[in-house]
């Protein structure tokens, strides 16, 4: 008798404003070459960066137990918001990345919480604050402000300071998300 078990496949969505690190996070975590829809920025985004995501980023993270996590990065520009709903469909959770060095990270938080309300109401969200690794005071202030804003919205979410380029930081985000979904989650 041969018994085989199918590995589970999960879907996680990464969202946030332009430049907050969604593409980098997917690339950092993925165990395959990332499918990316980067295009040359032609609007105000070109002042922030040369290329921007116009549809999605896609990668896969292989877990030690054989399960796979499909990683979907959304475009940050609101003009591509039709992709947000498409990519969020059937997602297990949401990683919301906020650029802590932006002029208004709390405004960004409110905009993305409203835009992703449907997925947030039905799943779990973890918030990652990026671009503050060189400014501890700014990092603490933004993290505290975001935590307070989430409490005022009655939205339970873990807030972490992360560098989307660092695998250890992004693995912590994933573990936090998975543990929030299932407290019995055991990483190996």
């Amino acid at each position: 008798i041969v018994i085989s078990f199918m590995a589970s496949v999960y879907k996680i969505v990464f969202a946030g404003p332009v430049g907050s690190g969604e593409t980098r996070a997917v690339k950092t975590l993925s165990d395959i070459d990332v499918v990316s829809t980067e295009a040359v920025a032609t609007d105000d985004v070109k002042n922030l960066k040369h290329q921007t995501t116009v549809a999605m980023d896609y990668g896969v993270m292989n877990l030690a137990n054989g399960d796979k996590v499909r990683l979907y990065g959304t475009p940050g520009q609101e003009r591509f918001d039709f992709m947000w709903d498409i990519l969020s469909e059937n997602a297990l959770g949401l990683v919301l990345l906020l650029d802590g060095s932006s002029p208004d990270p709390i405004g960004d938080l409110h905009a993305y919480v409203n835009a992703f309300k449907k997925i947030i109401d039905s799943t779990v969200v973890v918030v990652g604050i990026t671009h503050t690794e060189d400014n501890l005071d700014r990092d603490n202030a933004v993290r505290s402000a975001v935590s307070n804003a989430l409490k005022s919205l009655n939205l339970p979410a873990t807030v972490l300071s992360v560098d989307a380029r660092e695998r250890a930081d992004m693995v912590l985000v994933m573990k936090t998300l998975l543990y929030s979904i299932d407290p019995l989650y055991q990483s190996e």
Side-chain angles (χ1 to χ4, degrees), residues 1-186:
I1 297 177
V2 175
I3 300 174
S4 65
F5 295 96
M6 298 281 296
S8 294
V9 179
Y10 306 102
K11 179 180 181 180
I12 303 296
V13 174
F14 290 78
V18 171
S20 61
E22 312 95 85
T23 297
R24 177 51 47 205
V26 171
K27 287 180 178 181
T28 298
L29 286 169
S30 184
D31 293 318
I32 66 167
D33 288 337
V34 171
V35 175
S36 184
T37 60
E38 295 276 303
V40 175
T42 57
D43 54 9
D44 290 344
V45 172
K46 68 183 174 189
N47 298 327
L48 298 171
K49 58 186 196 168
H50 179 67
Q51 292 191 312
T52 190
T53 302
V54 295
M56 70 171 183
D57 298 303
Y58 172 76
V60 175
M61 182 178 182
N62 298 312
L63 302 181
N65 65 1
D67 290 351
K68 295 185 180 300
V69 180
R70 292 182 178 159
L71 311 166
Y72 290 87
T74 66
Q77 297 178 63
E78 286 186 45
R79 67 183 171 136
F80 299 117
D81 64 354
F82 63 92
M83 289 299 300
W84 298 352
D85 288 335
I86 293 168
L87 295 174
S88 296
E89 193 172 316
N90 298 316
L92 187 63
L94 173 69
V95 176
L96 177 57
L97 298 176
L98 298 173
D99 180 348
S101 68
S102 81
D104 188 13
I106 301 306
D108 292 339
L109 171 71
H110 285 286
Y112 281 82
V113 164
N114 287 334
F116 286 87
K117 184 168 179 30
K118 184 177 175 183
I119 185 175
I120 290 171
D121 287 347
S122 64
T123 63
V124 174
V125 63
V126 171
V127 179
I129 308 299
T130 62
H131 304 294
T132 58
E133 57 275 351
D134 294 330
N135 187 338
L136 187 58
D137 291 337
R138 175 77 177 172
D139 179 63
N140 289 333
V142 171
R143 203 165 10 94
S144 178
V146 168
S147 293
N148 289 334
L150 289 166
K151 285 178 189 169
S152 73
L153 293 170
N154 198 28
L155 182 60
T158 302
V159 180
L160 302 167
S161 298
V162 298
D163 183 335
R165 301 167 297 186
E166 296 294 330
R167 186 165 175 91
D169 285 6
M170 299 318 301
V171 167
L172 176 61
V173 167
M174 294 301 293
K175 285 181 178 180
T176 301
L177 186 75
L178 292 172
Y179 186 76
S180 297
I181 294 165
D182 181 1
L184 299 177
Y185 168 75
Q186 295 290 318

